Amino acid sequence: MNKFFKNTVVIILIFVALAALVVSFGGGSKPKQVDLSTVASQVEGGQVSEIQVDSTNTNLTVSLKDGSTETTSKEGDISVNDTLKNYGVPQDKINAVPIKPQSQSVWGSIVSQALPFLIPFILVSVFIWILMRNVQGANNRAMSFGQSQARMQDERKKKITFNDVAGVREAKEELKEVVEFLKFPQKFLQLGARIPKGVLLLGSPGVGKTLLARAVAGEANVPFFHMSGSEFVEMFVGVGASRVRDLFKKAKRHAPCIIFIDEIDAVGRQRGAGLGGSHDEREQTLNQILVEMDGFDTDTNVIVIAATNRPDVLDPALLRPGRFDRQIVIDPPDINDREQILKVHAKGKPLAEDINLRKIAERTAGFSGADLANLINEAAILAARLNQKQVTDSNLREAIEKVMLGPERKSHILSKKEKEITAYHEGGHALVATILPNSDPVHKVSVISRGRAAGYTMKVPSEDKHLHTRAEFLDDIAVSLGGYAAEKLVFGELTTGASNDLKVSTNLARRLVTAYGMSENLGPITFGDQHEMVFLGREISEHRNYSEEVAAKIDAEVSAIMKAGYDQAYQILSKHRDKLDLIAKQLIEKETLEQEEYESLVAELIPENKKKHPTDPGLENISKKGPKLKSPAESAA
């Protein structure tokens, strides 16, 4: 529509210009045609101011004193003076009228005569030119359809280096060798070493895969082509393969350089699963990528870096040596890495002097680098909203909860009865978590609605973990059922607030039996083979490799684990009912209890292993996938 409007405006402007030419050369309105006798009478009456004679001495242009103009004709071999005398005009009247030849150039005469004939030809020519230009543009777009959409990183912008990437020490060490390959290829070629053709970055979303790829290009100071895997695939078969060829052709012209393909699983999934067989566009694109990567010359300094969070779906031919020679796993940051990442993102933001980023790192177990960047940004937004000059510790704590659970729902006001139920529910979670030795320390308890939760209990591990024991999982199940047990103990009835607790704890109990082999009755064996199906939507299906009799035993074992967890939570709350009442009373009055306030209420019940809060670096708790799954008590009241 914009191009059509533009062409219409151009045509209108051309018409206006031609009309102006016609007016300028035409001289305005056409003069009145009269006979010679009329002109003679006007000259005798003194009405004529001037008479102009054309070059042929035949046509006369008479200008009257009232401003009008007339034209007439006479015989060419007789002068104007003699013609007027023949009509009886006195000589003195003739002498009073100036008689002048017309001053019109030859070109002006030609243009004025030819312009009416030229205008149609000019309009047709302009119309044909516009059509030809549009057709040429369409041809250009058709020719560029198979060209790659890769974008080269602008060298004038601020470059990203390894100093801008906190944490991921092992990944940076691996990638530093890639930088040396790009900077000093002869150093390796002289020893017969082969330059790696591809580096595959594996990691969960937000851990910094794209940032690391940009840092490699910045350190090596080479061109950086970046493209998403989905940009290769089009509706028409062969377009993706054509774009792959064009991309590698451009890269070889700018060698040494880096090609970065983000989300390569969009085109790198295992072949043979498509409905179109060999005519599947995605498979043809993958085949071309395989050919291009395996066809590099040893002296071609082009390295392909790809990123994905789904390495399990990639085609084996893509992962073999000679294509992606190196596979670098990027883990979620541990406590030390989180502290460094927070410092990087805090640059340029006025932080209060009392802020301890180490404590913030302790509270953010399971956060990725993107989560931590979002945390700092949310804290700055909260400070600006409150018209503060600095970002305070309370802003950061509020931002943590906002990132984890969502914003406060201040308009969601609980009734007095519901607030009391929620207070006992969250108090049950917190008290059971405090007493059980293998559960994580409680950092905060609140009955303020956040996201979809009417209240929440924040449990954060004192150190990062990689391995988990059966005792830890059983304590987590008991903590998850603490709110359920508290409602049963205090009110003698249950509410829907424990529905999410039951879902989380039941799933954990089933994983203990079927996935982790931690069932005492069924022994060290896994049950079921889960695999993902993506057709009309994502669906996780399970292949049952066990009998109905074993399925009944699994259900019985899960039920036994859940009952044991509930009984344990109920006994703890019954024994320490006074502390449960005290916690609920404080929650009803203050609505929120921070770690220090909460621990002052239950100081004598805290086990010895929880009285100190070590901050030694450890491995990230990846089994529980962040604070939500790691802390089952963080659920709706």
Side-chain angles (χ1 to χ4, degrees), residues 94-95 123 213 335 348 394 401 423 494 500 525 562 611 634:
I94 296 174
N95 296 336
L123 292 178
I335 186 170
S394 61
E401 297 171 24
L494 300 172
N500 192 62
I525 186 173
M562 291 291 292
K611 289 185 178 180
E634 294 170 10

Side-chain angles (χ1 to χ4, degrees), residues 607-622:
E608 288 297 327
N609 64 327
K610 292 186 180 180
K611 289 185 178 180
K612 294 181 181 180
H613 305 286
T615 54
D616 296 333
L619 295 176
E620 181 55 48
N621 187 346
I622 59 174

Side-chain angles (χ1 to χ4, degrees), residues 202-209 308-309 330-333 368:
L202 311 175
S204 56
V207 294
K209 301 184 291 295
T308 181
N309 54 7
I330 305 175
D331 294 319
S368 66

Side-chain angles (χ1 to χ4, degrees), residues 336-574:
N336 290 328
D337 291 342
R338 292 197 299 272
E339 184 181 5
Q340 296 300 320
I341 292 172
L342 288 171
K343 290 180 180 179
V344 169
H345 292 294
K347 290 180 181 179
K349 297 179 176 62
L351 300 183
E353 296 180 357
D354 61 338
I355 287 181
N356 188 344
L357 292 180
R358 182 73 178 189
K359 290 186 177 180
I360 301 299
E362 292 176 5
R363 279 203 171 196
T364 52
F367 276 42
S368 66
D371 292 330
L372 295 172
N374 187 33
L375 165 64
I376 295 292
N377 185 60
E378 288 290 344
I381 292 175
L382 289 172
R385 187 182 302 167
L386 298 174
N387 297 321
Q388 299 173 189
K389 300 299 182 182
Q390 290 181 321
V391 179
T392 62
D393 186 67
S394 61
N395 298 139
L396 288 172
R397 290 172 181 260
E398 175 77 10
I400 291 174
E401 297 171 24
K402 186 175 182 180
V403 172
M404 291 172 59
L405 303 172
E408 285 188 3
R409 293 194 296 163
K410 298 180 180 180
S411 61
H412 184 71
I413 302 175
L414 298 175
S415 65
K416 184 177 180 180
K417 182 65 175 177
E418 288 179 338
K419 190 173 185 180
E420 183 182 9
I421 295 174
T422 304
Y424 274 100
H425 184 104
E426 299 303 332
H429 285 311
L431 188 57
V432 175
T434 300
I435 294 175
L436 291 178
N438 297 304
S439 64
D440 297 326
V442 176
H443 277 240
K444 187 173 184 178
V445 188
S446 177
V447 293
I448 298 176
S449 298
R450 274 190 180 275
R452 293 179 295 176
Y456 58 95
T457 299
M458 182 183 294
K459 295 193 311 92
V460 180
S462 56
E463 60 183 2
D464 295 319
K465 299 178 182 178
H466 184 70
L467 301 176
H468 304 276
T469 64
R470 183 175 185 270
E472 290 176 351
F473 286 135
L474 293 178
D475 283 0
D476 274 347
I477 292 174
V479 171
S480 215
L481 296 172
Y484 182 91
E487 292 183 16
K488 186 72 173 178
L489 174 66
V490 177
F491 302 102
E493 60 180 356
L494 300 172
T495 67
T496 58
S499 60
N500 192 62
D501 295 334
L502 295 174
K503 179 180 179 181
V504 171
S505 56
T506 303
N507 289 337
L508 181 55
R510 188 167 292 276
R511 289 203 303 273
L512 285 178
V513 178
T514 61
Y516 302 149
M518 294 181 177
S519 170
E520 294 180 351
N521 296 327
L522 296 176
I525 186 173
T526 61
F527 301 94
D529 183 17
Q530 290 189 352
H531 59 277
E532 181 179 351
M533 297 178 61
V534 180
F535 180 58
L536 298 178
R538 183 176 180 180
E539 179 183 353
I540 304 296
S541 62
E542 180 183 17
H543 173 65
R544 293 184 59 174
N545 54 5
Y546 49 89
S547 64
E548 291 296 332
E549 181 182 355
V550 174
K553 292 181 180 181
I554 292 173
D555 293 338
E557 186 70 12
V558 171
S559 179
I561 293 174
M562 291 291 292
K563 187 177 184 306
Y566 168 75
D567 292 340
Q568 186 179 22
Y570 193 89
Q571 292 173 7
I572 290 174
L573 297 178
S574 299

Side-chain angles (χ1 to χ4, degrees), residues 112-132:
S112 62
Q113 296 295 326
L115 192 60
F117 301 98
L118 290 176
I119 288 177
F121 292 102
I122 293 175
L123 292 178
V124 171
S125 300
V126 170
F127 181 70
I128 294 175
W129 175 75
I130 292 175
L131 288 179
M132 292 297 293

